[in-house]
Amino acid sequence: MKTNGTVQRFMVKQTLLDLQDIRGSGTTLISVYIPPKFPQLQRMVATINSEIGIVTNIKSKTTQKLVGNALKSIQARLKGIKNIAASHPNGICLFVGTDVNSKKIVQEVDAISTVEQMVYKCDKEFFLSPLMSQLETNLTYGVVVITGNNALYGTICGTQRTILGSNGVLLPNKHKAGGQSAPRSNDSGFNARKAWVAKVAENMTRTFIGSDHKLSCAAIVVAGAGDLKDDLVMSPLLDKRIKDAIIATVPVNYGGKNGFHEAISKCPQLATYEDSVEQGHLKEFFQTVAKTDELVLFGVSEVTAALETGAVQKILVTEDTKMCTVVVETSSSGNDETKSNQPCRRVENVAQAKVHSTVAAIRADLLANDSVRVFPFTRWLIEEAQRYDTQVEVISGGSALACQFANSFGVGGLLRFPIDRDALGTMDGDDDLEFEDSENEGNCSP
């Protein structure tokens, strides 16, 4: 089953995080990047062959052996690639070697976007910068929301929405005093408004101009109610670098976080393909919830239990659920009358904080041939869904809908057809699962 963009990005990100922590004993970790062009593949094959020929020059016999084995593994893999443009349209990345615990690492990663340059690197750690940069290819836009009560500063990059800070104010009411107090009242309100705009302009400089005196985002959108946003854009106190980067002003009905999300939804310049696709899946889910609950699944227990029936058409899951999946494989069912040579598989989903105690309790009851493996829940769910031809969408954004989904469900599903929920067996340990709050609570408040 071919994975979609959100799943591929998530899996690549998780793989890179795993590779990032690996260290080799000496320069035993090899990183290879090959662009999707046949001449580049041939050049890399020649490079590997040449490195195999000179590996004997390494003084340490242990390092020499480990590097030689890694090079031969890469050589064997490259021989199996006949048409790199067809099998790996964005290029291929190989990470091979032996870590400090003498564990052999062989990891192949399909790049998210095209690999531009051929790379061969042998070091104590894997060279991951090119792939890491591909995860951050979306441009970052700054968003400022100004009202008569507060100002908020944030950014949007792809589906990620981040609130950087905010500050409040209490401007005088727009009422006119009579008699001799009228001019003084008007001057007081005008001066307070002018001082507020100046303060916001100063905070924009502190927020969007980095220590290198350069703009930290590609462009800026200013949103607000009434004329305040226009006064801010035209203010002579606004830094010229910021003023030149402003691409739009957007009228909004709210301030603060609600105004932030409203500005992003109203400004076409801020709309990204990834964000619009994610919003589409979330709207479909919530619209189905509003119509009927017969075709909707809520939470870990219902989704994982229904998945095995093949009735689940689509699963929505947050990128970081703060949960792990423990897969236990035993040699038999434990019942003398039903013992067989086929291994029995049992799955438990537990919160990350309880993983170590849960695994320790499970191991105490296992036999020598039994095994226990632990996976991040989202990764396990993606791989499990592929067995049942179920579409998975990873929700990673900070929009109002994404935060509502994360805080309310964390995991949800849409069914192909109604099923008997009472007949579904829930997985052990799932009944009292609760998702932890997001690390950046300011970005996920409904």
Side-chain angles (χ1 to χ4, degrees):
M1 178 181 174
K2 187 177 179 180
T3 58
N4 57 44
T6 61
V7 170
Q8 182 191 11
R9 181 175 289 272
F10 172 81
M11 296 299 284
V12 169
K13 181 178 179 179
Q14 293 299 309
T15 301
L16 294 183
L17 292 176
D18 293 341
L19 293 174
Q20 205 171 33
D21 297 331
I22 297 175
R23 295 293 180 269
S25 54
T27 55
T28 59
L29 302 180
I30 301 177
S31 307
V32 170
Y33 291 77
I34 308 175
K37 298 177 182 179
F38 182 75
Q40 299 282 34
L41 175 63
Q42 294 302 98
R43 284 179 57 194
M44 182 56 72
V45 170
T47 300
I48 298 300
N49 292 337
S50 174
E51 291 293 326
I52 292 176
I54 62 175
V55 74
T56 54
N57 295 338
I58 300 176
K59 294 181 180 180
S60 171
K61 296 298 181 181
T62 302
T63 303
Q64 180 185 127
K65 181 180 178 180
L66 295 177
V67 172
N69 290 338
L71 289 170
K72 290 177 182 178
S73 296
I74 296 173
Q75 184 185 53
R77 178 66 187 95
L78 296 184
K79 284 183 179 179
I81 301 176
K82 303 301 181 182
N83 186 346
I84 187 171
S87 58
H88 306 279
N90 290 328
I92 186 173
C93 309
L94 299 174
F95 304 96
V96 184
T98 306
D99 65 9
V100 291
N101 298 319
S102 300
K103 180 182 177 181
K104 187 175 181 181
I105 310 297
V106 179
Q107 185 66 59
E108 178 178 324
V109 179
D110 283 329
I112 297 174
S113 56
T114 305
V115 176
E116 300 293 343
Q117 185 176 3
M118 188 183 80
V119 175
Y120 169 84
K121 193 174 182 66
C122 186
D123 205 342
K124 294 182 179 180
E125 57 188 37
F126 288 119
F127 180 60
L128 305 174
S129 298
L131 283 178
M132 286 292 192
S133 63
Q134 289 186 3
L135 294 174
E136 303 170 355
T137 52
N138 290 310
L139 296 176
T140 299
Y141 294 94
V143 181
V144 178
V145 182
I146 180 173
T147 66
N149 297 320
N150 56 59
L152 181 143
Y153 317 90
T155 60
I156 176 172
C157 179
T159 61
Q160 296 294 332
R161 305 181 185 192
T162 306
I163 295 175
L164 304 177
S166 63
N167 54 301
V169 70
L170 185 60
L171 294 180
N173 293 329
K174 291 184 177 180
H175 66 275
K176 292 185 178 181
Q180 296 179 350
S181 300
R184 185 173 66 251
S185 176
N186 290 337
D187 290 343
S188 176
F190 175 79
N191 292 333
R193 186 186 183 95
K194 185 177 179 181
W196 172 233
V197 170
K199 184 176 181 180
V200 174
E202 180 182 353
N203 287 337
M204 288 178 65
T205 302
R206 293 176 180 174
T207 303
F208 298 116
I209 300 296
S211 57
D212 58 353
H213 305 293
K214 294 182 179 179
L215 199 65
S216 60
C217 50
I220 296 175
V221 171
V222 178
D227 298 330
L228 271 174
K229 62 182 181 300
D230 300 317
D231 294 342
L232 178 60
V233 172
M234 299 300 295
S235 173
L237 300 177
L238 189 62
D239 191 292
K240 185 178 184 303
R241 292 165 292 184
I242 292 179
K243 185 175 290 189
D244 293 341
I246 295 175
I247 57 174
T249 57
V250 181
V252 293
N253 299 319
Y254 307 96
K257 298 170 187 174
N258 291 333
F260 176 67
H261 295 309
E262 183 183 359
I264 293 174
S265 64
K266 282 186 174 181
C267 184
Q269 291 91 332
L270 297 181
T272 63
Y273 174 75
E274 295 86 354
D275 190 50
S276 62
V277 169
E278 180 176 288
Q279 292 297 301
H281 293 304
L282 289 169
K283 288 179 181 178
E284 179 188 9
F285 179 83
F286 283 109
Q287 287 171 359
T288 306
V289 171
K291 292 178 181 178
T292 176
D293 59 357
E294 292 185 351
L295 296 176
V296 185
L297 300 168
F298 306 101
V300 177
S301 298
E302 285 194 0
V303 171
T304 52
L307 183 61
E308 297 180 359
T309 67
V312 185
Q313 180 181 13
K314 181 188 297 185
I315 294 175
L316 273 62
V317 57
T318 53
E319 185 173 88
D320 187 4
T321 58
K322 307 293 183 184
M323 291 174 53
C324 291
T325 298
V326 181
V327 180
V328 185
E329 291 187 353
T330 56
S331 55
S332 69
S333 63
N335 187 335
D336 293 336
E337 298 179 358
T338 59
K339 281 186 177 179
S340 65
N341 294 327
Q342 296 297 325
C344 296
R345 184 169 175 265
R346 179 163 58 93
V347 177
E348 293 187 19
N349 295 312
V350 297
Q352 286 181 353
K354 300 179 181 179
V355 169
H356 295 296
S357 59
T358 302
V359 172
I362 292 174
R363 288 188 187 279
D365 299 329
L366 295 182
L367 301 176
N369 295 330
D370 300 338
S371 65
V372 179
R373 292 181 296 165
V374 180
F375 304 90
F377 172 73
T378 303
R379 181 188 297 185
W380 172 84
L381 185 63
I382 290 171
E383 295 175 353
E384 193 73 6
Q386 292 182 2
R387 298 171 53 192
Y388 301 98
D389 196 28
T390 298
Q391 178 184 351
V392 178
E393 295 295 338
V394 180
I395 306 301
S396 59
S399 66
L401 277 180
C403 292
Q404 182 181 351
F405 177 82
N407 293 333
S408 302
F409 312 111
V411 183
L414 298 176
L415 293 169
R416 295 186 173 97
F417 47 83
I419 58 176
D420 183 5
R421 296 171 189 269
D422 295 334
L424 289 178
T426 57
M427 303 177 73
D428 295 338
D430 288 353
D431 297 336
D432 58 350
L433 282 178
E434 293 183 2
F435 288 99
E436 297 181 16
D437 293 336
S438 173
E439 293 179 1
N440 192 348
E441 295 180 358
N443 294 346
C444 279
S445 297

